[in-house]
Amino acid sequence: MSLPLAQDNGRYSDRDGRFCIMEIEEIVLEPYIWHEAEVTFPDYAGTAQLDHKMTGESAFAAAGIDEDKWLVVGLDIGGGEHSHGLHIVAVDLDAVPPGGGNVLDRLMEEYGHIPTTDFLLHDVDPYEFLKSITHHFDLRLRVRGTSDKTIMVTSLGDIPEQP
């Protein structure tokens, strides 16, 4: 299995945006478990939920994902101070064992995990993509030190103040 890297003027970056200068023919991927989001120093942590918009043109198809071949099971937006990337995590439908019932359950039964491909989408603004697939979206991040404490909203305000 090959791991595609983003190329920028002869420099290659991994999924965390670290650059190195080298000639690369092929990188062999050691399979890894796709896990919760993490950063080195998590000043904020939280949750997100998205209600996928089911109307209009498919943003996945517009981004180049063949939905007759791939079942999208995850989105990954990450990066650093200067840029963010969008990864689509998808199941190759050719890998799904025959039979009825839930596709994901069949994959778990066959492989003991859900085998996926992590696609880095080039030339796609991750936040525009996110807006294009969103019916409703909620992101809640709380500052470190408040994770086990109740936060109660006791007033509302606008910045700048509205008439």
Side-chain angles (χ1 to χ4, degrees), residues 119-130:
F119 291 101
L120 171 60
L121 273 60
H122 297 271
D123 305 322
V124 174
D125 179 299
Y127 301 103
E128 289 301 317
F129 180 86
L130 187 64

Side-chain angles (χ1 to χ4, degrees), residues 3-6 12-20 27 87 120:
L3 176 63
L5 299 178
Y12 292 85
S13 69
D14 65 10
R15 60 180 277 107
D16 295 321
R18 296 178 294 231
F19 281 99
C20 55
I27 291 183
H87 292 254
L120 171 60

Side-chain angles (χ1 to χ4, degrees), residues 96-141:
V96 177
N102 185 295
V103 168
L104 302 175
D105 290 340
R106 293 196 328 256
L107 288 165
M108 289 298 295
E109 217 172 271
E110 178 76 17
Y111 302 103
H113 60 271
I114 299 170
T116 62
T117 298
D118 180 338
F119 291 101
L120 171 60
L121 273 60
H122 297 271
D123 305 322
V124 174
D125 179 299
Y127 301 103
E128 289 301 317
F129 180 86
L130 187 64
K131 286 191 321 188
S132 76
I133 66 167
T134 298
H135 180 63
H136 289 223
F137 178 67
D138 194 13
L139 169 70
R140 304 277 173 110
L141 299 174

Side-chain angles (χ1 to χ4, degrees), residues 28-159:
V28 177
L29 172 67
E30 183 65 36
Y32 61 92
I33 295 173
W34 194 60
H35 54 81
E36 299 289 321
E38 64 181 340
V39 296
T40 307
F41 301 104
D43 296 316
Y44 290 82
T47 60
Q49 291 193 355
L50 184 141
D51 178 2
H52 186 201
K53 180 169 61 174
M54 303 305 286
T55 58
E57 179 188 6
S58 165
F60 294 111
I65 302 288
D66 179 350
E67 293 177 287
D68 291 327
K69 177 162 176 48
W70 299 98
L71 172 64
V72 175
V73 296
L75 305 173
D76 182 349
I77 297 175
E81 294 179 15
H82 302 290
S83 67
H84 293 165
L86 171 63
H87 292 254
I88 302 293
V89 180
V91 172
D92 183 343
L93 292 173
D94 291 338
V96 177
N102 185 295
V103 168
L104 302 175
D105 290 340
R106 293 196 328 256
L107 288 165
M108 289 298 295
E109 217 172 271
E110 178 76 17
Y111 302 103
H113 60 271
I114 299 170
T116 62
T117 298
D118 180 338
F119 291 101
L120 171 60
L121 273 60
H122 297 271
D123 305 322
V124 174
D125 179 299
Y127 301 103
E128 289 301 317
F129 180 86
L130 187 64
K131 286 191 321 188
S132 76
I133 66 167
T134 298
H135 180 63
H136 289 223
F137 178 67
D138 194 13
L139 169 70
R140 304 277 173 110
L141 299 174
R142 44 173 69 217
V143 72
R144 185 179 1 168
T146 64
S147 63
D148 59 346
K149 296 171 178 57
T150 301
I151 297 175
M152 184 172 299
V153 176
T154 58
S155 64
L156 299 174
D158 291 312
I159 300 175

